[in-house]
Amino acid sequence: MKNTAEKSGLHPRNRHRQRYDFSALVATHPPLGEKIAVNTWGDTSIDFADPEAVKALNQALLHHFYGVAHWTLPDGFLCPPVPGRADYLHHLADLLAEDHGNSVPTHCNLLDIGCGANCIYPLIGQAEYGWRFTGTEVSEPALRAANAIVAANPGLQRSIRLRRQKLDNAVLNGVIHKNEFYHATICNPPFHASAEAAQEGSSRKQRNLGQKSSAPLNFGGQQHELWCEGGEQAFIAQMITESVDFARQCIWFTSLVSRKEHLPALRDQLRELDVAEVRIIDMAQGQKQSRFIAWSFMDKGTRAKRLTKPTA
């Protein structure tokens, strides 16, 4: 897409609302300079169909805006778009602020379900708001890669800890320990319902980028990152079911929902539980529409009290 002066739809606090300043980014991360060219619209940009270019852009963005000087991924793992990931956190911050005197709390503990090898939400969230994160992950290689990022950047070990999810078919069970408390969970669930659907989705993205079907994807993605049985609706439904057991250990449970047609079934499931509030938070990045669902078993007064208490 042609760069515009401002990217429509992004949260007002999102650092990526303006077009990329490639001169500043290259000054921070010189290897990006090798990937920059003038595109067909006459703008300075990168080839978003080139996996190494996208990775270099992410490295520059994370270093320049969030102070993450060392960030890399093993081949084949999900390389996330930084602006959209930041938007989720900013909108979540607004949700927490509603119960905190309309000011964003900075003492929060968050649980990132499926942090991936990229560890993107903890990296952005600790830099923007000073939040502490526990990231969970089912994949040992992904966990090793995320731990390597945390270890390579001084100071991150004070705000980010990572935890292996060892239970099959579990989301919250096994990773929320007794006496732990979280102000919110975040989650980017597996989108597809089967390997075949994931491959078709990948092929469609490749066609949109003008790639041949055999070309590597710029964003990558392992099996556990891209699909699970039943897709995102089944994954979030499982999370809702398990959240009942942790109703007093977390203020807001949240998850991205890529397909809005999944919302009615998820709402119906939540209505059957003793949920105090359900929210759908809409987000946008240009033409792309997205959203996350949030639910809490605590009423507003209880949420406000819990937000004022320090946590271990």
Side-chain angles (χ1 to χ4, degrees):
M1 294 182 63
K2 179 179 173 64
N3 287 336
T4 56
E6 185 169 293
K7 299 170 187 176
S8 61
L10 289 178
H11 190 280
R13 290 195 300 276
N14 197 314
R15 297 176 184 267
H16 312 291
R17 287 174 63 85
Q18 306 299 320
R19 64 189 301 171
Y20 294 135
D21 183 344
F22 282 103
S23 295
L25 292 175
V26 170
T28 301
H29 186 66
L32 176 62
E34 301 175 7
K35 300 296 182 179
I36 292 174
V38 177
N39 63 23
T40 55
W41 291 284
D43 288 326
T44 300
S45 188
I46 65 166
D47 180 2
F48 284 92
D50 177 359
E52 292 305 313
V54 173
K55 185 181 294 186
L57 176 60
N58 270 16
Q59 289 170 327
L61 292 173
L62 288 168
H63 192 176
H64 186 77
F65 290 103
Y66 305 108
V68 181
H70 305 284
W71 184 86
T72 190
L73 289 176
D75 291 341
F77 279 85
L78 189 67
C79 188
V82 172
R85 298 301 194 258
D87 235 40
Y88 183 3
L89 292 170
H90 290 307
H91 283 281
L92 176 59
D94 287 348
L95 181 64
L96 291 168
E98 291 181 21
D99 299 321
H100 192 252
N102 291 319
S103 66
V104 176
T106 59
H107 57 277
C108 291
N109 287 334
L110 271 72
L111 182 70
D112 180 8
I113 301 165
C115 65
N118 56 74
C119 200
I120 197 72
Y121 289 120
L123 295 176
I124 297 174
Q126 60 83 29
E128 287 285 27
Y129 297 115
W131 292 343
R132 292 178 294 177
F133 284 82
T134 298
T136 74
E137 180 53 55
V138 299
S139 163
E140 286 189 11
L143 200 64
R144 285 197 300 270
N147 267 315
I149 293 171
V150 173
N153 292 276
L156 288 186
Q157 289 178 317
R158 292 194 298 269
S159 56
I160 300 172
R161 65 182 178 186
L162 302 174
R163 184 172 290 171
R164 175 85 189 281
Q165 170 57 276
K166 298 180 180 179
L167 300 180
D168 293 334
N169 304 315
V171 180
L172 302 173
N173 290 330
V175 292
I176 298 182
H177 295 176
K178 185 178 180 181
N179 298 324
E180 286 185 341
F181 183 85
Y182 295 96
H183 296 87
T185 70
I186 56 175
C187 181
N188 183 15
F191 179 75
H192 298 287
S194 67
E196 292 76 17
Q199 180 57 49
E200 173 54 32
S202 297
S203 298
R204 184 166 54 252
K205 288 180 182 291
Q206 288 167 329
R207 291 193 295 271
N208 291 341
L209 289 168
Q211 291 178 307
K212 296 180 180 180
S213 60
S214 59
L217 280 171
N218 65 331
F219 55 85
Q222 299 292 299
Q223 175 268 320
H224 69 280
E225 295 177 309
L226 299 179
W227 71 273
C228 67
E229 187 173 351
E232 74 169 7
Q233 183 174 340
F235 188 96
I236 300 170
Q238 180 66 24
M239 181 178 170
I240 291 172
T241 298
E242 294 181 26
S243 70
V244 176
D245 294 332
F246 305 100
R248 293 308 177 227
Q249 290 181 256
C250 182
I251 297 178
W252 285 104
F253 298 90
T254 81
S255 176
L256 288 172
V257 183
S258 295
R259 293 182 176 174
K260 64 180 181 180
E261 57 266 30
H262 292 162
L263 292 174
L266 298 173
R267 281 184 176 274
D268 288 344
Q269 182 182 0
L270 287 164
R271 286 194 191 101
E272 296 176 359
L273 304 176
D274 188 19
V275 173
E277 189 168 354
V278 178
R279 299 283 294 276
I280 306 297
I281 309 297
D282 291 318
M283 302 180 290
Q285 184 178 352
Q287 299 286 331
K288 182 180 179 180
Q289 303 295 311
S290 61
R291 69 217 46 88
F292 67 86
I293 188 170
W295 65 98
S296 179
F297 295 90
M298 303 178 189
D299 59 32
K300 186 174 181 64
T302 302
R303 296 197 301 266
K305 290 179 182 178
R306 292 312 307 260
L307 275 166
T308 63
K309 291 182 178 180
T311 56

